[in-house]
Structures are given as C-alpha cells and as structure tokens.
Amino acid sequence: MFFKKKRKLKVNQEQILKAPLPQHIAIILDGNGRWAKKRGLPRTAGHQEGAMNVREITKLCATIGIKALTVYAFSTENWKRPEEEIKFLMKLPIKFFDDFAPELVEHEIRLKVIGNVEQLPKDLQQKVQEITELTKDNKKMTLTIALNYGSQDEIKQAIQKIALEVQNGELAVDEIDESVIEQHLMTCDLPPLDLMIRTSGELRISNYLLWQLAYAELYFTSVAWPDFKEEQLYEALADYQARNRRFGALNESK
Ligand code: FPP
C-alpha cells in the first residue's frame, strides 16, 4: 500500500505557542482571482474558496489566543470591478455570515464590520446588523471584516467628527492628540495592530489601516489567499516572533 509521506513542518508550532503572539493581526486577502484562474475556474470560485479560508483561519486564531483578526473583504476601490463580480462579492458575505454564525457563537468570537456599511445593499446591511447583535457579547476574539472600507476615507471621517466636536465647543484644538484620533477611527475598540499579512506577492498596503500600521510588523508571502493554511500562518507567526520590535526606542537585549 502506498502511504503519502507526511510533510515535515518547517516551523515548531509548540515553540511558537509558548512565545508571545501578536494580539491583533490584519490580513489583505489577495490572490483569489489568480488562484481560480490557475485551476481553470471563474474568479468567483476563488472568492468562495477565500471566504471558506477566512472561516478556518479565524477559528485557528481564536483557538491559539489571538485577540483580534481584521480582514479586507471589499475596499472602497473594489466598486471599479466588473458588475457581475461586485454582485457576487455583495452576496458572498451574506452566506458567509449565515454559515459561520454557529461557529462564531461556539468559539466566542465577536463579529465587527468596518467601512461604509450604509452604502452596501440592504440585505447585506441587515445581515451585518443581525450577526453583530448575535455575537456582541463574545469575548474570546474579535473578527473584523472590512467591507467597503478605505483607510483614507476612515481618517477623513475621523477628522470630520473631531472638527465638529471642536466647532461645538466639546473639544479644544490643543486637546487633539494621537489617542483622540484613535478614538475616532472605526477600529477604536480593537487592540493595537501588531502584524499585517498580505498574500499573493503584491508589496502594497492598498489603502488598508494606514494609521493603525504605524508600528505593525509587515509580512508578505507569495502564497495565494485560498492556499494560506495553518502551516503558512505559523510561518508568519514565527517570522513575527523573530523580529526585534523597538517602537522607535533602542533594545539592546537582542
Ligand atoms: C482579492 O483577490 C480579494 C478580494 C478583492 C475580495 C476578498 C474577498 C474574499 C476573500 C472573500 C471573503 C469574504 C468574506 C465575507 C470574509 P483578487 O480578486 O484581487 O485576486 P487577484 O489579485 O488574484 O485577481
């Protein structure tokens, strides 16, 4: 009988779990289209596989103790894609939320959405509201889905809100500091971002979490998002743990 030889893991999972893990990971889920094309499938099949993978990676992150995972599902620039693809990408989260809801409850994961939700189709808005409400008291991890999100737009909205508070006499100009700005961002209730992963080989930030990335470690991999599995996550974690995070200061211990 033929037994496939078990592939040896390149990283030691046990060792990784004993060392400090990032509290907050963000991922740019890139490469769904190329993943599908390589297999002779329509781009939408890549997005479907990508959504399934978000579920798996989310559960894994919750299980190993990551406190927040923030994924980019639709950007403010993605409206420029063909109509058929946009239609699919607006329906996909509805099914994703429906299928994932019992597991979000089981794993005590809170679901949060950032972006301009009010511009999304009504049925998707309703679903977002429903799942947010269902999971609002879950404490183990927060899964944030960026839907119709753009970081420059988020910063612009924060500035507008702060300006209004100044205009109304609720805030003085010299009281505006980094923490005030952070409190007005859509990520205000999330821990600081530690690690940003982008799959599929592009070396760009693509208008994602620009403010929040200030001191995050960046990790780029050529693996397409649907192929980014447990082993690839551990490789990213090992890489993160090998970095020397100084936050602008000196650290002579490493
Ligand atoms: C980038 O791949 C991916 C997107 C623009 C959409 C990402 C959406 C998903 C993974 C589905 C997740 C959905 C939920 C609800 C969590 P691409 O299309 O740019 O791929 P390409 O660069 O290979 O063309």
Side-chain angles (χ1 to χ4, degrees), residues 29-34 43 47 50-51 73 78 81 92-93 96 145:
L29 314 165
D30 201 8
N32 296 335
R34 279 164 282 173
R43 291 177 57 78
H47 293 317
N78 286 150
R81 294 198 172 202
L92 183 62
F96 171 86
I145 312 259

Side-chain angles (χ1 to χ4, degrees), residues 105-124:
V105 173
E106 184 194 329
H107 290 265
E108 293 170 67
I109 299 167
R110 174 172 77 109
L111 185 107
K112 175 182 165 81
V113 170
I114 55 171
N116 295 315
V117 177
E118 67 292 346
Q119 291 165 4
L120 296 172
K122 282 276 171 301
D123 54 350
L124 178 50

Side-chain angles (χ1 to χ4, degrees), residues 10-240:
K10 285 196 212 102
V11 291
N12 182 335
Q13 295 192 357
E14 245 173 75
Q15 207 176 315
I16 291 167
L17 295 180
K18 279 191 212 140
L21 290 168
Q23 274 204 86
H24 183 179
I25 301 176
I27 309 181
I28 300 181
L29 314 165
D30 201 8
N32 296 335
R34 279 164 282 173
W35 180 92
K37 197 173 168 205
K38 231 169 114 180
R39 288 159 179 79
L41 298 168
R43 291 177 57 78
T44 49
H47 293 317
Q48 200 145 5
E49 193 67 23
M52 281 300 298
N53 202 38
V54 171
R55 272 172 74 174
E56 294 310 313
I57 291 293
T58 300
K59 284 185 281 178
L60 177 60
C61 284
T63 307
I64 65 175
I66 306 292
K67 298 312 288 177
L69 175 67
T70 302
V71 299
Y72 211 174
F74 194 87
S75 77
T76 46
E77 287 73 38
N78 286 150
W79 295 107
K80 296 175 200 151
R81 294 198 172 202
E83 204 183 315
E84 273 310 297
E85 186 168 341
I86 292 174
K87 235 171 150 181
F88 184 86
L89 287 171
M90 290 296 124
K91 287 279 171 226
L92 183 62
I94 298 179
K95 180 156 170 37
F96 171 86
F97 291 138
D98 273 338
D99 294 347
F100 201 14
E103 288 175 329
L104 289 172
V105 173
E106 184 194 329
H107 290 265
E108 293 170 67
I109 299 167
R110 174 172 77 109
L111 185 107
K112 175 182 165 81
V113 170
I114 55 171
N116 295 315
V117 177
E118 67 292 346
Q119 291 165 4
L120 296 172
K122 282 276 171 301
D123 54 350
L124 178 50
Q125 285 189 43
Q126 238 159 21
K127 191 55 68 180
V128 165
Q129 214 171 12
E130 189 188 307
I131 305 296
T132 306
E133 179 62 29
L134 175 76
T135 63
K136 71 177 191 309
D137 295 324
N138 290 348
K139 299 272 186 289
K140 193 152 188 218
M141 191 183 88
T142 301
L143 168 65
T144 303
I145 312 259
L147 259 181
N148 194 19
Y149 171 87
S151 185
Q152 291 180 340
D153 171 67
E154 177 192 32
I155 293 169
K156 178 199 74 185
Q157 290 187 38
I159 292 171
Q160 287 173 334
K161 282 188 238 155
I162 292 169
L164 260 183
E165 286 174 30
V166 171
Q167 198 176 41
N168 294 339
E170 293 154 16
L171 189 70
V173 169
D174 59 8
E175 284 173 332
I176 303 170
D177 59 10
E178 288 80 349
S179 92
V180 168
I181 295 170
E182 261 156 29
Q183 284 157 27
H184 289 79
L185 294 174
M186 295 166 182
T187 52
C188 58
D189 57 349
L190 297 177
L193 184 56
D194 297 311
L195 172 64
M196 203 284 291
I197 298 171
R198 182 172 189 145
T199 57
S200 210
E202 311 295 346
L203 306 178
R204 286 191 291 277
I205 301 299
S206 298
N207 201 13
Y208 194 43
L209 304 171
L210 299 176
W211 174 281
Q212 297 85 342
L213 280 167
Y215 287 103
E217 296 295 327
L218 307 180
Y219 181 84
F220 297 96
T221 170
S222 58
V223 173
W225 170 247
D227 289 331
F228 189 91
K229 305 290 185 197
E230 183 176 13
E231 184 180 347
Q232 285 73 26
L233 179 70
Y234 275 98
E235 277 170 8
L237 293 173
D239 201 86
Y240 168 85

